[in-house]
Amino acid sequence: MLIKKPADIKSSEITPRELYLNRRQFMLSTSAAALAFTGVNFANPPAQAQSAGKLANVKKSNFSTSEKLNSLKEITNYNNFYELGTDKEDPAANAKYLTTRPWTVAVEGEVKKAKTYDIEELTKLAPLEERIYRLRCVEAWSMVIPWVGFPLSALVKLAEPTGNAKFIQFVTLHDPKRLPGQKIPTMEWPYVEGLRMDEAMHPLTILSVGLYGEVLPAQNGAPIRLVVPWKYGFKSIKSIVKVRFVDKQPAASWNMMQPQEYGFYSNVNPEVDHPRWTQATERRIGELRRRKTLMFNGYGEQVASLYSGMDLKKFY
Amino acid sequence: MLICLKPLAFIICLIPVAQLAYGYYSDNLTANPIEYITRFTGSWSLIILLASLAVTPLRRLTGWNELIKLRRMIGLFAFFYAALHFSTYMVLDLDFDFAAIAKDIWKRPYITVGFSALVLMIPLAVTSTAGMIRRLGKRWQQVHYLVYPIAMLGVLHFYWLVKADIRRPVQYGSVLALLLGIRLAFRLTPIVKTWRAKGSTPLLPSSAAPRGRKEVGAGTERSA
Ligand code: HEM
């Protein structure tokens, strides 16, 4: 029975064969994971009902890693999304509050084509790709996640930034009814993040609308979130409602709160420790032993040139 | 009464371990079990430590003197969970990498204070036997005043390790402040009463009066 189900969802269509085989290993390891792969999202049935759905025509990408994937159960039940609660399991439990339709994203600021996009339109802006990326959290754990999305550069090009546009600021939805964690003043709401223009245009930088071939679950930042795989996870802002082109380095939530602990760049860097814990090693979720953290989370070949000449100990 | 009170407290203090074992076997310790176990044992160590500090105020407020017989066991359980907590960190998290552990203790203030709290708990655990209590006599009490800095270091450890949500460490800190505040009130009451009673007939119950006077007396003598 466990063997038969995955064939129904044809996961081999969206992931390379060796990953597909990996998944089969997972299934055998825990029945819960097996359930997850059949598409039965037992973790939050009510929340998923409104947004669940398979994404069509998802292309594979050469940017994907062939490492062993984390299970859907791990990816959707171990989240840092303070707007849905500060414990790791809170976002899955509170996912039901975050309704994601209707949803619009305003593109504004230093652009020629300012526009408010409907989420449906945004999802069709560019061909969807599966990007299997490592995600390295600033708390020294990591996962391998099969995102579905499209390059942020596609949206930037459409907006036609003016010569003044040097940075982009992203803003999360501010609505304590749908994001009840915002009723608690843990941080200043809404959450904001930023990228330098060349970082935003880099082909690795995507806007994600899906996970494991399906519509993005609320706890992972539905309906649309940023994914910047060479930076600590908190840079990859969730549930975006505003993309604002600006001429100066914009405010970023963690950076504002504790500038000596979280830099604006926050590139994964094993040589610059967080003041309160080491960044030299990390625990890959599902593994027992720590592994060495790689510079730029292993994406140095693609992104190191963005920072040539910069002292990364200073601009952490 | 006492006969069932002690085993009952013993069992209650073991519930978290059972919960952890059950969580382990039912694969329910989140996607990051090592982090979960670290936080779980750390939390229970501090909660039980606060419970041990609540014994004396409760006893004095309720007059239920038998409670005192639970204090040693509860205190030892706080040490037990702290030891589990540290073992999780040393064995599961850092895999006996003593260089990394030493660096953490030296460099990370939250680990420095956590480690200090654990080290300070050791003499309390060692001197908790009946033999030691007898042998140390009055000094035993002095050694066990260490529990106050230990609890403060535990709360500080928690406060320093959270990233943004300070609600729980603040709650634990408030409980500690309350428990210490009650003690201060107990200490001051007889003194105040003594001052009030000065020159008139002592209104104090005979048990409390000499103690209060002695303390005031000792203080004046020293400062003189
Ligand atoms: C050498 C001694 C100690 C070390 C190395 C240590 C280390 C740690 C670590 C690594 C964490 C988890 C941090 C995180 O996940 O972000 C933690 C959490 C915690 N520890 Fe300790 N600790 C020590 C002693 C203690 C003691 C003695 C107590 C209690 C009296 C204590 C109470 C706590 C509490 C309450 C938490 C937070 C639990 C939570 O987040 O729910 N720790 N400790």
Side-chain angles (χ1 to χ4, degrees), chain B residues 35 38-39 42-43 45-46 49 82 85-86 89 110-111 114-115 117-118 121 154 157-158 161 168 172:
Chain B
E35 180 196 66
T38 306
R39 293 189 172 178
S43 296
S45 176
L46 192 51
L49 191 65
H85 181 62
F86 181 66
Y89 163 83
Y110 91 90
I111 304 261
F115 186 74
L118 182 72
M121 279 170 142
H157 169 67
F158 194 3
L161 71 87
R168 276 184 58 223
Y172 290 24

Side-chain angles (χ1 to χ4, degrees), chain A residues 200-212:
Chain A
M201 292 303 286
H202 194 280
L204 280 172
T205 305
I206 60 165
L207 285 170
S208 170
V209 295
L211 183 65
Y212 263 113

Side-chain angles (χ1 to χ4, degrees), chain A residues 126-201:
Chain A
L128 292 181
E129 293 173 45
E130 181 174 65
R131 297 283 184 102
I132 303 171
Y133 282 162
R134 293 176 288 275
L135 175 131
R136 171 61 158 78
C137 177
V138 73
E139 296 168 344
W141 53 266
S142 64
M143 290 198 196
V144 177
I145 303 179
W147 303 108
V148 177
F150 59 89
L152 172 62
S153 62
L155 180 65
V156 174
K157 281 174 198 155
L158 275 183
E160 294 181 28
T162 68
N164 289 335
K166 300 282 186 289
F167 292 87
I168 304 183
Q169 185 182 43
F170 303 85
V171 184
T172 295
L173 172 74
H174 190 193
D175 181 355
K177 279 204 200 73
R178 289 194 280 168
L179 293 171
Q182 291 174 338
K183 290 177 193 157
I184 302 151
T186 34
M187 308 183 82
E188 205 178 294
W189 310 116
Y191 193 87
V192 288
E193 256 308 337
L195 291 177
R196 213 168 57 187
M197 197 55 94
D198 56 345
E199 298 175 323
M201 292 303 286

